[in-house]
Amino acid sequence: MVLCNQAHVAPHGKEREIVAGFLTVPSEHANRYGRCDLLNLTGPQVKKIAFKPKNPDASRVTYGCGTTLTYAQIAQVIPCFTPGTRIATPKGEKLVENLKIGDRVVTRDNGIRHITWAGQKTMQMQDLQISATMRPVLIRAGALGQGLPERDMIVSPNHRVLVVSDMAKRHFAESEVLIAAKHLTQMKGITPIDLPKATYIHFMCETHEIVLSDGAWTESFQPGDDTLQGIDADQREELFLLFPELATKEGLRRYRAARKTLQQTEAGLITATG
């Protein structure tokens, strides 16, 4: 995963251009970095940025509180639900925090599938406030259209939501795409929020699935290089013991994304038009 800002690609000494709080990547350098996401590294909480041109993910950001994180760590708030989210199962909706290995869930593509692994991670207020990219996102009831979700739901910023749109079909040749909650905040009723702490809950199926959560289609946990680094070490060890294939590139290919995932600038083409 390459995390880009203009400091990576601008000529030496050129002042960084800031648009809507994000550092931009000049279009002439798009081929160099490919599809990439943008990190918000602006604001008074950022004290120092130590950029490493040969390994951008290892670049380090020092915050005013003294905490130092790499670019990769900032982006590793894994896709998760929070307690209270109701997941559709063959026996009706169940609270996500009560789901366990072996339980069955309703999926959009493959009918009823079993949960093969589940885990959770609690982040305290000081962790959530380090960077805007770590704050949970509130999706108000009805904010996704057609009365969905059926009730307010809170997810991690990287949790991806299924969006069905004619605009997606026009721009990306696919009417169904996945967009991270943090990239939907231009839409009314979807906003980052401050909480004293957040417990992020994730569950995995035999493949990456689209599941019904509070009546809306969102993703199950997708193991990958970024998400595996984002979970606690003991959970990662447990996953590798249960699924040793996840330690290999070939094993991870089994869990390819259920839909095309849009990055921030791509998502803007959809959310800006409603």
mmCIF file of all heavy atoms in Angstrom, residues 2-34:
data_model
loop_
_atom_site.group_PDB
_atom_site.id
_atom_site.type_symbol
_atom_site.label_atom_id
_atom_site.label_comp_id
_atom_site.label_asym_id
_atom_site.label_seq_id
_atom_site.Cartn_x
_atom_site.Cartn_y
_atom_site.Cartn_z
ATOM 1 N N VAL A 2 0.708 2.102 -0.957
ATOM 2 C CA VAL A 2 1.484 3.335 -1.032
ATOM 3 C C VAL A 2 0.627 4.487 -0.559
ATOM 4 O O VAL A 2 -0.484 4.680 -1.041
ATOM 5 C CB VAL A 2 1.964 3.604 -2.470
ATOM 6 C CG1 VAL A 2 2.718 4.922 -2.536
ATOM 7 C CG2 VAL A 2 2.860 2.471 -2.934
ATOM 8 N N LEU A 3 1.114 5.228 0.407
ATOM 9 C CA LEU A 3 0.389 6.370 0.942
ATOM 10 C C LEU A 3 1.055 7.629 0.427
ATOM 11 O O LEU A 3 2.245 7.835 0.625
ATOM 12 C CB LEU A 3 0.402 6.327 2.469
ATOM 13 C CG LEU A 3 -0.117 5.011 3.043
ATOM 14 C CD1 LEU A 3 0.064 4.980 4.538
ATOM 15 C CD2 LEU A 3 -1.572 4.824 2.678
ATOM 16 N N CYS A 4 0.306 8.451 -0.279
ATOM 17 C CA CYS A 4 0.912 9.553 -1.018
ATOM 18 C C CYS A 4 0.526 10.910 -0.460
ATOM 19 O O CYS A 4 -0.596 11.113 -0.031
ATOM 20 C CB CYS A 4 0.467 9.512 -2.481
ATOM 21 S SG CYS A 4 0.766 7.949 -3.296
ATOM 22 N N ASN A 5 1.462 11.843 -0.485
ATOM 23 C CA ASN A 5 1.115 13.252 -0.406
ATOM 24 C C ASN A 5 2.106 13.997 -1.281
ATOM 25 O O ASN A 5 3.062 13.425 -1.789
ATOM 26 C CB ASN A 5 1.107 13.773 1.042
ATOM 27 C CG ASN A 5 2.474 13.754 1.690
ATOM 28 O OD1 ASN A 5 3.481 14.002 1.044
ATOM 29 N ND2 ASN A 5 2.510 13.451 2.973
ATOM 30 N N GLN A 6 1.878 15.267 -1.509
ATOM 31 C CA GLN A 6 2.679 15.964 -2.492
ATOM 32 C C GLN A 6 4.140 16.068 -2.079
ATOM 33 O O GLN A 6 5.021 16.237 -2.910
ATOM 34 C CB GLN A 6 2.105 17.362 -2.755
ATOM 35 C CG GLN A 6 2.779 18.049 -3.937
ATOM 36 C CD GLN A 6 1.998 19.225 -4.420
ATOM 37 O OE1 GLN A 6 0.852 19.396 -4.054
ATOM 38 N NE2 GLN A 6 2.593 20.043 -5.249
ATOM 39 N N ALA A 7 4.415 15.944 -0.773
ATOM 40 C CA ALA A 7 5.802 15.981 -0.324
ATOM 41 C C ALA A 7 6.606 14.848 -0.939
ATOM 42 O O ALA A 7 7.808 14.941 -1.084
ATOM 43 C CB ALA A 7 5.856 15.890 1.200
ATOM 44 N N HIS A 8 5.923 13.773 -1.319
ATOM 45 C CA HIS A 8 6.623 12.637 -1.917
ATOM 46 C C HIS A 8 7.118 12.962 -3.323
ATOM 47 O O HIS A 8 8.130 12.439 -3.756
ATOM 48 C CB HIS A 8 5.678 11.431 -2.060
ATOM 49 C CG HIS A 8 5.147 10.922 -0.766
ATOM 50 N ND1 HIS A 8 4.396 9.780 -0.697
ATOM 51 C CD2 HIS A 8 5.239 11.381 0.499
ATOM 52 C CE1 HIS A 8 4.046 9.559 0.551
ATOM 53 N NE2 HIS A 8 4.536 10.511 1.287
ATOM 54 N N VAL A 9 6.366 13.759 -4.054
ATOM 55 C CA VAL A 9 6.597 13.842 -5.486
ATOM 56 C C VAL A 9 6.910 15.246 -5.992
ATOM 57 O O VAL A 9 7.334 15.410 -7.124
ATOM 58 C CB VAL A 9 5.364 13.303 -6.244
ATOM 59 C CG1 VAL A 9 5.181 11.830 -5.963
ATOM 60 C CG2 VAL A 9 4.098 14.063 -5.858
ATOM 61 N N ALA A 10 6.699 16.252 -5.165
ATOM 62 C CA ALA A 10 6.959 17.618 -5.617
ATOM 63 C C ALA A 10 8.457 17.854 -5.755
ATOM 64 O O ALA A 10 9.264 17.231 -5.070
ATOM 65 C CB ALA A 10 6.371 18.615 -4.627
ATOM 66 N N PRO A 11 8.867 18.756 -6.647
ATOM 67 C CA PRO A 11 10.287 19.099 -6.761
ATOM 68 C C PRO A 11 10.824 19.575 -5.419
ATOM 69 O O PRO A 11 10.093 20.124 -4.603
ATOM 70 C CB PRO A 11 10.288 20.227 -7.799
ATOM 71 C CG PRO A 11 9.036 20.016 -8.586
ATOM 72 C CD PRO A 11 8.033 19.478 -7.609
ATOM 73 N N HIS A 12 12.101 19.351 -5.193
ATOM 74 C CA HIS A 12 12.712 19.700 -3.914
ATOM 75 C C HIS A 12 12.481 21.172 -3.583
ATOM 76 O O HIS A 12 12.717 22.059 -4.393
ATOM 77 C CB HIS A 12 14.219 19.428 -3.965
ATOM 78 C CG HIS A 12 14.926 19.779 -2.689
ATOM 79 N ND1 HIS A 12 14.731 19.061 -1.529
ATOM 80 C CD2 HIS A 12 15.790 20.779 -2.394
ATOM 81 C CE1 HIS A 12 15.476 19.597 -0.576
ATOM 82 N NE2 HIS A 12 16.120 20.640 -1.068
ATOM 83 N N GLY A 13 11.995 21.416 -2.377
ATOM 84 C CA GLY A 13 11.809 22.780 -1.919
ATOM 85 C C GLY A 13 10.467 23.382 -2.280
ATOM 86 O O GLY A 13 10.131 24.465 -1.823
ATOM 87 N N LYS A 14 9.683 22.687 -3.109
ATOM 88 C CA LYS A 14 8.388 23.239 -3.493
ATOM 89 C C LYS A 14 7.414 23.152 -2.327
ATOM 90 O O LYS A 14 7.317 22.139 -1.653
ATOM 91 C CB LYS A 14 7.821 22.469 -4.689
ATOM 92 C CG LYS A 14 6.473 23.007 -5.167
ATOM 93 C CD LYS A 14 6.000 22.245 -6.393
ATOM 94 C CE LYS A 14 4.640 22.760 -6.855
ATOM 95 N NZ LYS A 14 4.155 22.034 -8.047
ATOM 96 N N GLU A 15 6.683 24.229 -2.088
ATOM 97 C CA GLU A 15 5.726 24.247 -0.995
ATOM 98 C C GLU A 15 4.586 23.277 -1.271
ATOM 99 O O GLU A 15 4.100 23.174 -2.391
ATOM 100 C CB GLU A 15 5.164 25.660 -0.828
ATOM 101 C CG GLU A 15 4.218 25.786 0.359
ATOM 102 C CD GLU A 15 3.739 27.210 0.538
ATOM 103 O OE1 GLU A 15 4.222 28.072 -0.207
ATOM 104 O OE2 GLU A 15 2.886 27.447 1.406
ATOM 105 N N ARG A 16 4.156 22.557 -0.241
ATOM 106 C CA ARG A 16 3.064 21.607 -0.401
ATOM 107 C C ARG A 16 1.744 22.343 -0.596
ATOM 108 O O ARG A 16 1.466 23.330 0.064
ATOM 109 C CB ARG A 16 2.970 20.694 0.828
ATOM 110 C CG ARG A 16 4.145 19.739 0.959
ATOM 111 C CD ARG A 16 4.037 18.905 2.211
ATOM 112 N NE ARG A 16 4.151 19.738 3.409
ATOM 113 C CZ ARG A 16 4.085 19.262 4.644
ATOM 114 N NH1 ARG A 16 3.883 17.986 4.845
ATOM 115 N NH2 ARG A 16 4.205 20.054 5.679
ATOM 116 N N GLU A 17 0.942 21.842 -1.505
ATOM 117 C CA GLU A 17 -0.370 22.422 -1.758
ATOM 118 C C GLU A 17 -1.404 21.668 -0.942
ATOM 119 O O GLU A 17 -1.439 20.440 -0.957
ATOM 120 C CB GLU A 17 -0.716 22.309 -3.244
ATOM 121 C CG GLU A 17 -2.094 22.871 -3.582
ATOM 122 C CD GLU A 17 -2.433 22.653 -5.043
ATOM 123 O OE1 GLU A 17 -1.628 22.031 -5.745
ATOM 124 O OE2 GLU A 17 -3.517 23.098 -5.461
ATOM 125 N N ILE A 18 -2.236 22.396 -0.218
ATOM 126 C CA ILE A 18 -3.230 21.764 0.637
ATOM 127 C C ILE A 18 -4.620 22.079 0.101
ATOM 128 O O ILE A 18 -4.977 23.229 -0.119
ATOM 129 C CB ILE A 18 -3.107 22.254 2.090
ATOM 130 C CG1 ILE A 18 -1.722 21.887 2.643
ATOM 131 C CG2 ILE A 18 -4.201 21.652 2.956
ATOM 132 C CD1 ILE A 18 -1.468 22.420 4.030
ATOM 133 N N VAL A 19 -5.391 21.044 -0.155
ATOM 134 C CA VAL A 19 -6.756 21.199 -0.636
ATOM 135 C C VAL A 19 -7.683 20.472 0.325
ATOM 136 O O VAL A 19 -7.550 19.268 0.529
ATOM 137 C CB VAL A 19 -6.918 20.626 -2.057
ATOM 138 C CG1 VAL A 19 -8.362 20.755 -2.517
ATOM 139 C CG2 VAL A 19 -5.989 21.344 -3.024
ATOM 140 N N ALA A 20 -8.612 21.193 0.934
ATOM 141 C CA ALA A 20 -9.583 20.606 1.866
ATOM 142 C C ALA A 20 -8.883 19.791 2.953
ATOM 143 O O ALA A 20 -9.377 18.762 3.388
ATOM 144 C CB ALA A 20 -10.579 19.732 1.112
ATOM 145 N N GLY A 21 -7.724 20.274 3.397
ATOM 146 C CA GLY A 21 -7.036 19.605 4.492
ATOM 147 C C GLY A 21 -6.192 18.426 4.077
ATOM 148 O O GLY A 21 -5.569 17.787 4.901
ATOM 149 N N PHE A 22 -6.154 18.099 2.782
ATOM 150 C CA PHE A 22 -5.369 16.966 2.325
ATOM 151 C C PHE A 22 -4.257 17.432 1.402
ATOM 152 O O PHE A 22 -4.406 18.383 0.657
ATOM 153 C CB PHE A 22 -6.251 15.947 1.591
ATOM 154 C CG PHE A 22 -7.113 15.152 2.510
ATOM 155 C CD1 PHE A 22 -8.362 15.624 2.876
ATOM 156 C CD2 PHE A 22 -6.670 13.954 3.029
ATOM 157 C CE1 PHE A 22 -9.166 14.899 3.741
ATOM 158 C CE2 PHE A 22 -7.473 13.225 3.889
ATOM 159 C CZ PHE A 22 -8.723 13.704 4.242
ATOM 160 N N LEU A 23 -3.144 16.746 1.459
ATOM 161 C CA LEU A 23 -2.028 17.043 0.579
ATOM 162 C C LEU A 23 -2.260 16.339 -0.744
ATOM 163 O O LEU A 23 -2.599 15.167 -0.786
ATOM 164 C CB LEU A 23 -0.725 16.562 1.220
ATOM 165 C CG LEU A 23 -0.451 17.168 2.600
ATOM 166 C CD1 LEU A 23 0.785 16.533 3.207
ATOM 167 C CD2 LEU A 23 -0.280 18.666 2.504
ATOM 168 N N THR A 24 -2.081 17.045 -1.847
ATOM 169 C CA THR A 24 -2.465 16.507 -3.141
ATOM 170 C C THR A 24 -1.287 15.915 -3.894
ATOM 171 O O THR A 24 -0.140 16.258 -3.659
ATOM 172 C CB THR A 24 -3.096 17.609 -4.011
ATOM 173 O OG1 THR A 24 -2.107 18.614 -4.260
ATOM 174 C CG2 THR A 24 -4.284 18.238 -3.309
ATOM 175 N N VAL A 25 -1.588 15.010 -4.808
ATOM 176 C CA VAL A 25 -0.584 14.402 -5.673
ATOM 177 C C VAL A 25 -0.765 14.963 -7.074
ATOM 178 O O VAL A 25 -1.831 14.812 -7.665
ATOM 179 C CB VAL A 25 -0.746 12.872 -5.718
ATOM 180 C CG1 VAL A 25 0.291 12.257 -6.638
ATOM 181 C CG2 VAL A 25 -0.629 12.290 -4.321
ATOM 182 N N PRO A 26 0.233 15.653 -7.636
ATOM 183 C CA PRO A 26 0.099 16.194 -8.989
ATOM 184 C C PRO A 26 -0.218 15.095 -9.990
ATOM 185 O O PRO A 26 0.311 13.992 -9.904
ATOM 186 C CB PRO A 26 1.485 16.801 -9.257
ATOM 187 C CG PRO A 26 2.051 17.067 -7.901
ATOM 188 C CD PRO A 26 1.525 15.963 -7.036
ATOM 189 N N SER A 27 -1.086 15.388 -10.949
ATOM 190 C CA SER A 27 -1.535 14.376 -11.891
ATOM 191 C C SER A 27 -0.399 13.803 -12.718
ATOM 192 O O SER A 27 -0.438 12.647 -13.131
ATOM 193 C CB SER A 27 -2.600 14.969 -12.825
ATOM 194 O OG SER A 27 -2.070 16.086 -13.524
ATOM 195 N N GLU A 28 0.660 14.608 -12.960
ATOM 196 C CA GLU A 28 1.748 14.104 -13.796
ATOM 197 C C GLU A 28 2.532 12.987 -13.115
ATOM 198 O O GLU A 28 3.318 12.292 -13.736
ATOM 199 C CB GLU A 28 2.711 15.242 -14.177
ATOM 200 C CG GLU A 28 3.419 15.899 -12.997
ATOM 201 C CD GLU A 28 2.664 17.122 -12.504
ATOM 202 O OE1 GLU A 28 1.436 17.176 -12.703
ATOM 203 O OE2 GLU A 28 3.303 18.020 -11.931
ATOM 204 N N HIS A 29 2.304 12.806 -11.796
ATOM 205 C CA HIS A 29 3.002 11.746 -11.075
ATOM 206 C C HIS A 29 2.091 10.561 -10.780
ATOM 207 O O HIS A 29 2.473 9.652 -10.054
ATOM 208 C CB HIS A 29 3.562 12.279 -9.756
ATOM 209 C CG HIS A 29 4.615 13.334 -9.938
ATOM 210 N ND1 HIS A 29 5.883 13.044 -10.371
ATOM 211 C CD2 HIS A 29 4.562 14.677 -9.765
ATOM 212 C CE1 HIS A 29 6.589 14.171 -10.438
ATOM 213 N NE2 HIS A 29 5.804 15.165 -10.081
ATOM 214 N N ALA A 30 0.881 10.574 -11.339
ATOM 215 C CA ALA A 30 -0.083 9.517 -11.014
ATOM 216 C C ALA A 30 0.437 8.142 -11.405
ATOM 217 O O ALA A 30 0.250 7.166 -10.688
ATOM 218 C CB ALA A 30 -1.413 9.790 -11.714
ATOM 219 N N ASN A 31 1.112 8.042 -12.559
ATOM 220 C CA ASN A 31 1.602 6.743 -13.003
ATOM 221 C C ASN A 31 2.676 6.196 -12.074
ATOM 222 O O ASN A 31 2.837 4.993 -11.928
ATOM 223 C CB ASN A 31 2.161 6.850 -14.426
ATOM 224 C CG ASN A 31 1.067 7.086 -15.446
ATOM 225 O OD1 ASN A 31 -0.081 6.727 -15.210
ATOM 226 N ND2 ASN A 31 1.415 7.694 -16.570
ATOM 227 N N ARG A 32 3.407 7.093 -11.440
ATOM 228 C CA ARG A 32 4.486 6.661 -10.556
ATOM 229 C C ARG A 32 3.938 5.963 -9.322
ATOM 230 O O ARG A 32 4.493 4.974 -8.851
ATOM 231 C CB ARG A 32 5.317 7.873 -10.143
ATOM 232 C CG ARG A 32 6.425 7.547 -9.137
ATOM 233 C CD ARG A 32 7.226 8.787 -8.801
ATOM 234 N NE ARG A 32 8.185 8.531 -7.744
ATOM 235 C CZ ARG A 32 8.963 9.460 -7.216
ATOM 236 N NH1 ARG A 32 8.906 10.694 -7.661
ATOM 237 N NH2 ARG A 32 9.800 9.161 -6.252
ATOM 238 N N TYR A 33 2.826 6.475 -8.791
ATOM 239 C CA TYR A 33 2.296 5.925 -7.553
ATOM 240 C C TYR A 33 1.038 5.090 -7.754
ATOM 241 O O TYR A 33 0.613 4.393 -6.850
ATOM 242 C CB TYR A 33 1.997 7.061 -6.558
ATOM 243 C CG TYR A 33 3.258 7.640 -5.975
ATOM 244 C CD1 TYR A 33 3.841 8.772 -6.521
ATOM 245 C CD2 TYR A 33 3.883 7.026 -4.899
ATOM 246 C CE1 TYR A 33 5.014 9.293 -5.998
ATOM 247 C CE2 TYR A 33 5.054 7.539 -4.364
ATOM 248 C CZ TYR A 33 5.611 8.676 -4.919
ATOM 249 O OH TYR A 33 6.766 9.180 -4.404
ATOM 250 N N GLY A 34 0.430 5.164 -8.937
ATOM 251 C CA GLY A 34 -0.773 4.389 -9.178
ATOM 252 C C GLY A 34 -1.931 4.896 -8.334
ATOM 253 O O GLY A 34 -1.948 6.024 -7.872
#
